[in-house]
Amino acid sequence: MLRSDAVTKGIQRSPNRAMLRAVGFGDSDFGKPILGIANGYSTITPCNVGLNDLSKRAEEAARQAGGMPQMFGTITVSDGISMGTEGMKYSLVSREVIADAIETACNGQSMDGVLAVGGCDKNMPGAMLAMARMNIPSVFVYGGTIKPGKLGGCDLTVVSAFEAVGQLTSGKIDEAQLTAVEKNACPGAGSCGGMFTANTMSAAIETMGLSLPYSSTMAAEDEEKADSAARSAEVLVEAVKANIRPLDLLTKEAFENAISVIMAVGGSTNAVLHLLAIARTAGVDLSIDDFERIRQRVPVICDLKPSGRYVTVDLHNAGGIPQVMKLLLDAGLLHGDCRTVEGKSLKELLADVPGEPPTGQDVIRPLSDPMYAKGHLAILKGNLATEGSVAKISGVKTPVLTGPARVFESEEKCLASILDKQIKAGDVVVVRYEGPVGGPGMREMLAPTSAIVGQGLGDKVALITDGRFSGGTYGLVVGHVAPEAAVGGTIGLVQEGDSITVDADQLLLQLNVDEAELERRRAGWTKPQPRYRNGILGKYARLVSSSSRGATTDHDD
């Protein structure tokens, strides 16, 4: 029995069938599984501009495999374009909107399965939230990574343009060089090319078995990406027949595998937020402390941007995520019994993958010679973050810094100060009221961090925030500080010049002010008025949970 029988079977469903006939159904089609194709295509961003072609290829493949595909659209927000603006407040919110849209279409139309096609950062976790909510057979198709831009023999990504702004203001380059970077950073279709958030989340989904092997690192414009989309549709038809559902695959062990791979490839801090949200929706007991536990035993073995040298197409050419998983599996750092949407275990899936990385490349390194002996996403706690915070410490030469607080109530004020050269070596920059509730929407701070790096202060300044950092960020940065300022967190009590310690070695984020003084400040603190009362941002601020729990609207407390 199919779920879609609710709209296709019986005399009383004659009107329903009449409407389905108008969109291409024939007599023989009403017994076939109805498969949603959640198409994230848009011309808003290069990340999504190629998705329509992939969706059409998948649609035809689903039909040929015996399914009845029905295509519908989902939205996207371009993080790179909205970065540094008020529009960035809608980015994380779009994760929930995408999840709501997919759930609404699939459940409203009694679909039997869904194939979600996404590109920009929030497309991936949004689709995964919907899949976990509905628990119908599901496959995710990643739109693919952009190929690197080229300038003067160097690979460029969009982060190169952000950093060039800081280089210009510090006199390291001129406007002509800035323009040259701008014109060459993004050469075509695909998601941002380093191991930033989109590529990190696609890697996590492949690891958890809800997308096909090798698909998370393919270039958007290569033919193999379209072939993989078609094969994904065929696999979805098979999953419906075999009744393989997302919650069969999204176990605690599967999430641990995803965390291990994210550590190994040097992935984005945003993965912490998104995996916590997906796990919460899936009913899996995953906490922020699990990331620290796994970090302690999994090294970083991939030399990838933003802090490394290579881009995601280089990782693909070196063996992709299956090669990374095989190294971890052989080292006892991966649960090989976890299943995939193809019905195989990871151990079976990786059986023919070499046990050593290919020779003649240094994108993927052996575990005996890692980039870093431990993972790069550290969970820091202390009186500034009693629920936790997330630090990305790859490429950080100075993991410990105690310095005076430079306090800013918004990203814009912080960036203006950096570009005006008011931030000095040894400062601890605090950007607050940018959390899930306070922002609302938890904006990413790529512009300030890139400006700091561009001015040569990346190893000399710490930046902490209750907002987020882009997957393209690196340096001594600590985000997701919880509790956030807007709900009374200690970060809201910091005053200009206070001493703050950021210690990635001791996992400490500490405001060096005695408790009596903090209590005095806390007594005088007043909860600010919401920045938005109506519309989606107002609604989101009323519903959203703490970042330490995934900043999700799927919660029962």
Side-chain angles (χ1 to χ4, degrees):
M1 181 176 175
L2 296 172
R3 192 168 84 137
S4 59
D5 289 350
V7 296
T8 62
K9 296 296 175 67
I11 295 172
Q12 72 275 25
R13 296 306 178 209
S14 180
N16 311 63
R17 292 192 296 272
M19 295 194 74
L20 289 170
R21 289 180 189 278
V23 295
F25 279 66
D27 289 344
S28 62
D29 296 326
F30 293 112
K32 297 175 182 177
I34 296 178
L35 307 174
I37 309 290
N39 181 359
Y41 166 74
S42 79
T43 58
I44 288 175
T45 168
C47 307
N48 291 46
V49 74
L51 300 189
N52 204 42
D53 292 339
L54 297 182
S55 296
K56 288 181 176 179
R57 183 74 182 272
E59 181 183 39
E60 180 57 30
R63 186 175 286 109
Q64 292 295 325
M68 281 304 293
Q70 291 196 304
M71 192 181 298
F72 61 91
T74 66
I75 61 101
T76 197
V77 171
S78 171
D79 290 22
I81 296 172
S82 66
M83 194 75 69
T85 75
E86 193 75 1
M88 187 62 188
K89 293 182 177 181
Y90 290 85
S91 172
L92 184 59
V93 176
S94 75
R95 183 188 73 180
E96 311 300 304
V97 176
I98 292 165
D100 291 349
I102 295 174
E103 177 192 359
T104 300
C106 291
N107 282 349
Q109 301 304 123
S110 301
M111 293 175 180
D112 299 297
V114 63
L115 183 142
V117 187
C120 200
D121 294 4
K122 307 310 172 296
N123 297 182
M124 278 67 76
M128 291 291 287
L129 286 171
M131 292 172 182
R133 291 177 189 174
M134 298 184 298
N135 198 32
I136 60 175
S138 306
V139 178
F140 183 79
V141 173
Y142 180 43
T145 183
I146 196 171
K147 293 181 179 179
K150 301 287 185 180
L151 184 65
C154 296
D155 286 348
L156 300 181
T157 69
V158 68
V159 175
S160 306
F162 280 97
E163 292 178 0
V165 174
Q167 291 167 346
L168 176 69
T169 60
S170 61
K172 294 182 178 180
I173 63 173
D174 59 25
E175 286 194 34
Q177 290 170 297
L178 173 66
T179 301
V181 172
E182 174 188 325
K183 289 182 175 180
N184 289 278
C186 300
S191 299
C192 300
M195 191 46 67
F196 310 149
T197 303
N199 287 321
T200 298
M201 289 309 301
S202 66
I205 295 170
E206 180 179 326
T207 301
M208 292 191 288
L210 278 162
S211 63
L212 300 193
Y214 300 99
S215 65
S216 69
T217 52
M218 293 174 179
E221 297 178 337
D222 286 351
E223 186 61 29
E224 65 175 347
K225 171 49 66 178
D227 293 341
S228 177
R231 176 58 188 153
S232 297
E234 295 168 354
V235 168
L236 178 59
V237 174
E238 295 164 4
V240 172
K241 293 177 182 177
N243 197 29
I244 299 174
R245 297 171 180 258
L247 296 188
D248 300 330
L249 310 179
L250 295 176
T251 62
K252 177 69 175 283
E253 291 75 19
F255 281 96
E256 290 180 340
N257 284 348
I259 296 169
S260 295
V261 167
I262 288 164
M263 295 295 179
V265 300
S268 166
T269 54
N270 285 310
V272 178
L273 195 75
H274 296 324
L275 289 179
L276 287 171
I278 297 163
R280 189 167 178 80
T281 299
V284 172
D285 183 20
L286 188 74
S287 79
I288 197 170
D289 296 323
D290 288 314
F291 289 82
E292 182 60 38
R293 172 176 57 83
I294 293 170
R295 183 185 82 87
Q296 292 292 333
R297 59 188 179 89
V298 178
V300 179
I301 59 172
C302 296
D303 187 5
L304 296 169
K305 290 180 182 292
S307 61
R309 293 178 292 165
Y310 297 105
V311 294
T312 304
V313 291
D314 298 317
L315 174 61
H316 187 64
N317 293 334
I321 296 304
Q323 181 64 78
V324 175
M325 287 197 290
K326 182 60 177 280
L327 299 180
L328 296 176
L329 179 67
D330 288 351
L333 299 173
L334 208 68
H335 301 288
D337 292 335
C338 288
R339 311 296 294 182
T340 74
V341 71
E342 294 181 279
K344 300 177 182 178
S345 69
L346 283 184
K347 187 174 182 180
E348 292 170 334
L349 192 74
L350 301 173
D352 295 330
V353 176
E356 295 292 334
T359 58
Q361 61 81 41
D362 54 359
V363 183
I364 304 174
R365 299 168 67 156
L367 268 75
S368 59
D369 182 30
M371 295 290 296
Y372 306 99
K374 294 181 180 180
H376 63 300
L377 300 180
I379 306 304
L380 275 55
K381 293 187 176 182
N383 67 354
L384 260 178
T386 55
E387 293 179 15
S389 62
V390 183
K392 188 175 186 179
I393 58 176
S394 52
V396 174
K397 298 176 182 177
T398 310
V400 181
L401 191 151
T402 296
R406 302 298 310 280
V407 182
F408 301 94
E409 309 299 331
S410 71
E411 178 188 358
E412 288 86 352
K413 293 178 181 178
C414 174
L415 180 60
S417 181
I418 295 168
L419 295 180
D420 199 33
K421 300 181 182 178
Q422 295 179 21
I423 302 302
K424 308 299 181 184
D427 286 346
V428 179
V429 178
V430 179
V431 185
R432 64 190 182 191
Y433 293 101
E434 290 283 6
V437 174
M442 211 178 176
R443 287 193 292 182
E444 291 181 349
M445 306 289 158
L446 180 57
T449 57
S450 296
I452 286 171
V453 170
Q455 290 184 357
L457 295 172
D459 295 317
K460 303 177 181 68
V461 169
L463 195 155
I464 68 173
T465 181
D466 50 10
R468 296 181 295 131
F469 290 111
S470 163
T473 294
Y474 63 101
L476 189 56
V477 295
V478 185
H480 308 198
V481 171
E484 62 174 291
V487 299
T490 304
I491 190 172
L493 307 180
V494 179
Q495 295 181 359
E496 184 80 10
D498 282 348
S499 172
I500 292 177
T501 295
V502 182
D503 190 335
D505 292 336
Q506 299 299 316
L507 306 178
L508 180 67
L509 186 61
Q510 188 77 13
L511 175 60
N512 300 312
V513 172
D514 66 61
E515 189 58 35
E517 172 62 14
L518 285 181
E519 283 303 315
R520 186 188 69 79
R521 294 181 188 180
R522 190 168 283 113
W525 179 82
T526 302
K527 184 178 178 66
Q529 292 295 311
R531 288 171 169 164
Y532 290 83
R533 293 184 178 276
N534 301 312
I536 194 167
L537 291 183
K539 178 168 61 176
Y540 180 84
R542 291 190 293 272
L543 293 174
V544 70
S545 70
S546 167
S547 61
S548 67
R549 307 176 77 177
T552 178
T553 56
D554 280 342
H555 58 97
D556 53 10
D557 50 43

